[in-house]
Amino acid sequence: MKKIFPIIIGLISLSLVGIIVIQLLWLRNMVLLRREQIKHRIQDGVQWAGNNLVQHKANYNFDNRDFHGLVPGEFSLEYLRPNTIGQRLSVSQINDIIKKAFHEHDLDDVKFEFGVALMSTNSMEKQSKNFVEVFNENNPKDYQYTYPLNSPSGSETENLSPNEILIVIALDYKNLVFQSLWLPIVSAIVFTLLIMASFYLTVRTMLRQKKLSEIKNDFINNMTHEFKTPLATISLAVDALRNEKVVSDKEKMSYFSTIIKEENKRMNRQVETILKAALLDKQEVQLLLRPLHAHQVIKDVVENFTLQLEEKNGKAELLLNAESDFIDADEVHFSNLINNLIDNAIKYSKDDQPPMIKITTQSTAKTLVIVIEDNGIGMNKETVKRVFEKFYRAHTGNIHNVKGFGLGLSYVKTMVEAHGGQIKVDSVLGKGSTFTIELPLKKLQRQAVMSPVPA
């Protein structure tokens, strides 16, 4: 698994990068293609408008020509030259023709500026309001197309009417490209994000499975060790009981029988711990809540550790300062969670320093706060993040240096939350840890604390 895992991650990463690159190339080509398509539609629209404008030259009638003002003796061919499109049509009329042309080619959303110029003099005859400004700006997002307005071949005005050009500038036509492609682009982005999310979840699941596999192996190793020791002790005691000298000695019989009984109890406790964890997983633990004083429970639990603390020259300091300690709790489970925290403080104490445990309480308007501090080996940041995970145990080089299954703090957190509270831990490696528990005060007691004292 250790060799295959990096290969799988590498292949998945390569596939993901390939898919993203292909998606980007596809989007780029699609945008370029659509851009060219819109350019062609603009060209077709301008040509359609230009052909329409050219008809005004072809339909010119010389008989309707107005010669009023002609001075005798001053005849010129200019009097016979037909009027240009710029002379015959207004700005609004030309604008309407171009707008209609764009409508015919599905370009209603395209804004434009236009101008009609004489080829002979390069002068503008007619132009839209902002044409000169847009023309000089030469924005790369705009598209300019020029169409010649020459008289049709064979018409009466051929070779007589001045050559003109129609210049149309489609403003920000690239915006139309993205407007027409918003659905494919959004779909491609969404599907790419889904693929990335799937990749992330796959890798995350694989990492979690890898961690679970490591935790499972640690748990099996710890469980084997925890059961192997009492089984070996019981086996030795049974062998001793078979000895004829021991059989005849009642004191030794009692001694070895006591060893067997104690080791059996120890194994039962370990089995109960594992079964309790299974019940917590299934959420089948039923709390028998009843009003109790937290201070009394804490005192009783600390008293049970007196011998262990004396053996290590340690001390437990109680600063039970909470004005109210009345809570609704399951006495057994509440005692167990306090017991687990103090037991950990003793187990994870330094070898060259006696364990010093400080238990402080204080109350707010709604909660009872219990703080348990120790001067033990402490935890690093990674351990602090995972300390409440089931079966997790910090590695210190020898997984059996402190006995247990890694279920204690997971049980503590579950029980605190089951009582409607919360727990947090602060720790500094080499200096010790601090566990802070907040539990809701009993409702009636809370009301009594908050009620004003009568005068």
Side-chain angles (χ1 to χ4, degrees):
M1 182 65 184
K2 290 183 179 179
K3 294 181 179 179
I4 295 176
F5 187 77
I7 296 174
I8 294 174
I9 296 296
L11 291 175
I12 294 177
S13 301
L14 188 62
S15 301
L16 179 63
V17 171
I19 290 172
I20 292 174
V21 170
I22 291 172
Q23 286 274 38
L24 292 175
L25 290 175
W26 175 74
L27 283 174
R28 177 177 173 275
N29 291 335
M30 186 169 58
V31 169
L32 292 175
L33 178 61
R34 185 56 60 87
R35 188 179 296 173
E36 291 301 316
Q37 289 175 345
I38 292 178
K39 278 185 178 180
H40 285 302
R41 282 160 53 190
I42 292 173
Q43 292 173 8
D44 292 342
V46 174
Q47 290 174 10
W48 191 95
N51 290 332
N52 190 291
L53 291 172
V54 165
Q55 296 303 316
H56 289 274
K57 289 189 173 184
N59 297 334
Y60 182 76
N61 189 346
F62 283 98
D63 295 335
N64 295 329
R65 180 77 185 211
D66 184 10
F67 292 96
H68 180 73
L70 178 62
V71 179
E74 295 183 4
F75 178 80
S76 173
L77 289 176
E78 290 298 322
Y79 290 104
L80 297 178
R81 189 179 296 277
N83 289 335
T84 63
I85 293 174
Q87 293 171 336
R88 299 188 64 187
L89 299 176
S90 66
V91 171
S92 61
Q93 287 174 322
I94 298 173
N95 182 81
D96 291 341
I97 291 173
I98 298 174
K99 186 177 291 186
K100 183 179 180 181
F102 276 22
H103 173 74
E104 292 293 332
H105 292 82
D106 196 22
L107 296 170
D108 295 293
D109 295 331
V110 176
K111 296 180 180 180
F112 61 89
E113 297 291 338
F114 69 89
V116 176
L118 280 172
M119 291 287 291
S120 58
T121 61
N122 287 327
S123 60
M124 300 300 299
E125 290 188 293
K126 287 289 189 301
Q127 62 188 35
S128 56
K129 182 178 180 182
N130 300 315
F131 175 79
V132 175
E133 180 183 348
V134 173
F135 183 83
N136 292 330
E137 186 178 356
N138 196 21
N139 192 330
K141 293 183 179 181
D142 300 339
Y143 178 62
Q144 178 180 314
Y145 186 69
T146 302
Y147 186 74
L149 301 176
N150 300 326
S151 298
S153 177
S155 66
E156 294 180 354
T157 59
E158 184 179 4
N159 299 324
L160 291 177
S161 178
N163 292 330
E164 299 169 276
I165 57 171
L166 171 65
I167 305 171
V168 177
I169 303 176
L171 305 178
D172 198 13
Y173 82 102
K174 292 182 180 179
N175 186 45
L176 184 62
V177 173
F178 291 104
Q179 285 181 359
S180 62
L181 292 176
W182 72 269
L183 184 58
I185 291 174
V186 171
S187 300
I189 293 173
V190 169
F191 283 118
T192 302
L193 291 176
L194 287 175
I195 292 172
M196 294 176 67
S198 301
F199 169 76
Y200 168 76
L201 290 174
T202 300
V203 174
R204 184 170 175 267
T205 302
M206 292 176 68
L207 290 173
R208 289 188 65 184
Q209 290 295 329
K210 185 173 179 288
K211 288 181 181 179
L212 286 174
S213 178
E214 293 172 354
I215 290 171
K216 179 195 72 175
N217 292 334
D218 288 349
F219 172 72
I220 292 173
N221 291 334
N222 283 313
M223 185 177 66
T224 302
H225 179 79
E226 291 293 329
F227 285 125
K228 189 175 181 180
T229 302
L231 285 172
T233 304
I234 291 172
S235 179
L236 291 172
V238 170
D239 289 340
L241 288 174
R242 292 177 179 176
N243 192 301
E244 294 181 358
K245 294 181 180 180
V246 175
V247 172
S248 59
D249 190 334
K250 291 184 178 180
E251 185 176 341
K252 288 185 178 180
M253 284 285 290
S254 176
Y255 172 73
F256 286 114
S257 297
T258 302
I259 289 177
I260 293 173
K261 186 175 182 179
E262 289 299 322
E263 292 300 318
N264 184 59
K265 285 183 179 178
R266 179 180 168 186
M267 290 180 66
N268 282 331
R269 284 197 298 269
Q270 302 294 0
V271 172
E272 286 176 3
T273 300
I274 297 172
L275 292 175
K276 191 184 296 180
L279 289 174
L280 289 175
D281 271 347
K282 297 179 181 179
Q283 298 182 344
E284 293 180 358
V285 175
Q286 298 293 329
L287 297 181
L288 300 176
L289 300 177
R290 68 179 186 86
L292 57 84
H293 287 280
H295 287 173
Q296 188 59 49
V297 175
I298 294 171
K299 290 176 183 177
D300 293 340
V301 172
V302 171
E303 189 176 346
N304 294 334
F305 286 95
T306 302
L307 293 177
Q308 292 187 43
L309 288 169
E310 288 178 352
E311 185 180 352
K312 292 189 174 185
N313 296 321
K315 180 182 178 183
E317 181 183 3
L318 298 180
L319 299 174
L320 308 180
N321 301 322
E323 294 182 4
S324 174
D325 67 331
F326 209 43
I327 60 175
D328 277 325
D330 185 303
E331 186 172 4
V332 174
H333 290 293
F334 181 66
S335 300
N336 285 341
L337 70 89
I338 299 295
N339 183 90
N340 283 350
L341 292 174
I342 297 175
D343 185 47
N344 278 350
I346 296 173
K347 285 197 299 186
Y348 292 97
S349 60
K350 298 176 183 177
D351 294 333
D352 59 346
Q353 189 175 348
M356 302 298 295
I357 303 171
K358 182 179 179 182
I359 303 176
T360 307
T361 66
Q362 60 184 25
S363 58
T364 65
K366 296 182 179 180
T367 61
L368 170 68
V369 181
I370 304 171
V371 181
I372 300 178
E373 303 176 59
D374 65 61
N375 63 338
I377 60 175
M379 297 176 283
N380 57 31
K381 292 182 179 180
E382 176 64 22
T383 303
V384 169
K385 290 179 182 178
R386 302 184 58 193
V387 72
F388 293 115
E389 292 180 16
K390 189 170 293 182
F391 302 122
Y392 176 77
R393 301 183 70 216
H395 291 277
T396 56
N398 177 8
I399 61 174
H400 302 309
N401 58 345
V402 177
K403 298 178 181 179
F405 297 131
L407 296 171
L409 290 178
S410 173
Y411 166 79
V412 168
K413 186 174 188 294
T414 302
M415 284 298 103
V416 170
E417 291 177 350
H419 283 79
Q422 56 185 6
I423 183 171
K424 66 178 181 179
V425 57
D426 296 307
S427 185
V428 178
L429 191 62
K431 293 187 178 181
S433 304
T434 301
F435 289 86
T436 304
I437 300 172
E438 288 189 41
L439 294 171
L441 291 168
K442 184 172 173 58
K443 189 174 181 180
L444 294 176
Q445 181 73 7
R446 207 160 63 223
Q447 290 175 350
V449 172
M450 296 174 64
S451 299
V453 179

